[in-house]
Amino acid sequence: MNRHQIITIAREYGSGGRLIGQRLAEELGLAFYDKKLITLAAEESGFAEEFIAQTEQKRTFNFFYNLYMTSNELPVAEQVFLVQSQVIRRLAQERSCVIVGRCADYILRDFPNCLRIFVYAPLEWRGQCVRDIYHENVDNYEDYLQKQDKNRAGYYNYFTQNKWGKAQNYHISIDSSIGIASTVRVLKEMTAVFFEGER
């Protein structure tokens, strides 16, 4: 029986990783999951989508935030992570897909046929993407990007036993400043090689 083809994409903020994942999924005919994971996790947990969105990229929480739990339960951040992990694992069992972010590479580390990708780019290029693609108006793009990366790294490092962005934790690390279309083309070729070798 053929195994599902799973691709996970972790990325620096502003590197275009989400767009790359979406286009790669389209070209390969695979399902694509990013923000839709928030909706699915909300349906399974009962938490509001807005609450999950605010929670999933945080590592530390203040006193009042941690009060939002009932006795003998895990802190709410851990509950959200566990629910999203269950959703990600279920999706990977059900169909071939591309999953962006949310520690999917770690959550699916034991899954066969799972290609783990990390997308990065120079700060200046990412700043241009934030302006031109994300249409975000920021006073200091360098500080803003570094803060976003710090939040992602903190969340990932807190919930996994790996280090965010470390090359050894991924099959492929790629600099997207070669261009979005070129990055998709390279990843498509490398994906074919990876899954051919996994048969």
Side-chain angles (χ1 to χ4, degrees):
M1 183 172 65
N2 290 333
R3 293 176 294 181
H4 296 308
Q5 296 182 352
I6 310 299
I7 301 171
T8 65
I9 297 182
R11 75 282 189 220
E12 290 183 332
Y13 193 86
S15 65
R18 182 184 184 280
L19 180 59
I20 289 166
Q22 189 172 21
R23 291 186 181 178
L24 183 63
E26 290 172 357
E27 294 202 15
L28 296 174
L30 305 181
F32 175 75
Y33 295 100
D34 179 26
K35 293 182 180 180
K36 188 176 180 182
L37 290 170
I38 296 175
T39 302
L40 295 173
E43 292 173 354
E44 294 200 12
S45 68
F47 290 125
E49 290 186 34
E50 295 80 6
F51 180 76
I52 292 177
Q54 292 173 358
T55 302
E56 64 178 5
Q57 294 297 332
K58 294 181 179 178
R59 177 178 62 90
T60 57
F61 309 92
N62 63 34
F63 173 75
F64 294 104
Y65 192 92
N66 279 321
L67 284 179
Y68 186 59
M69 68 179 84
T70 59
S71 60
N72 300 321
E73 284 189 351
L74 289 171
V76 68
E78 278 78 0
Q79 293 181 50
V80 169
F81 179 77
L82 288 175
V83 170
Q84 284 198 329
S85 297
Q86 292 168 359
V87 170
I88 288 170
R89 292 180 70 86
R90 175 171 54 79
L91 293 172
Q93 290 171 339
E94 292 176 349
R95 60 183 62 87
S96 295
C97 58
V98 175
I99 301 175
V100 174
R102 293 163 183 84
C103 305
D105 59 278
Y106 180 81
I107 292 166
L108 300 177
R109 63 194 181 281
D110 298 326
F111 269 57
N113 250 26
C114 181
L115 174 62
R116 300 183 298 275
I117 299 170
F118 187 83
V119 180
Y120 65 95
L123 276 172
E124 183 177 351
W125 193 87
R126 291 194 284 144
Q128 185 176 348
C129 276
V130 169
R131 288 189 300 269
D132 300 342
I133 298 177
Y134 302 168
H135 305 294
E136 295 183 27
N137 187 13
V138 180
D139 292 333
N140 188 318
Y141 283 97
E142 183 172 340
D143 288 348
Y144 178 70
L145 290 168
Q146 290 176 343
K147 180 180 179 181
Q148 297 300 323
D149 285 346
K150 184 177 179 180
N151 287 339
R152 287 185 175 179
Y155 180 87
Y156 184 92
N157 297 344
Y158 179 79
F159 284 110
T160 79
Q161 298 177 21
N162 291 344
K163 185 175 181 180
W164 183 78
K166 186 176 181 181
Q168 289 88 338
N169 295 326
Y170 309 92
H171 295 105
I172 302 168
S173 292
I174 188 166
D175 183 346
S176 58
S177 67
I178 62 174
I180 298 296
S182 296
T183 303
V184 172
R185 184 167 61 251
V186 170
L187 290 177
K188 186 177 178 181
E189 293 175 358
M190 297 182 78
T191 296
V193 172
F194 177 84
F195 289 121
E196 180 65 29
E198 286 292 310
R199 289 183 181 178

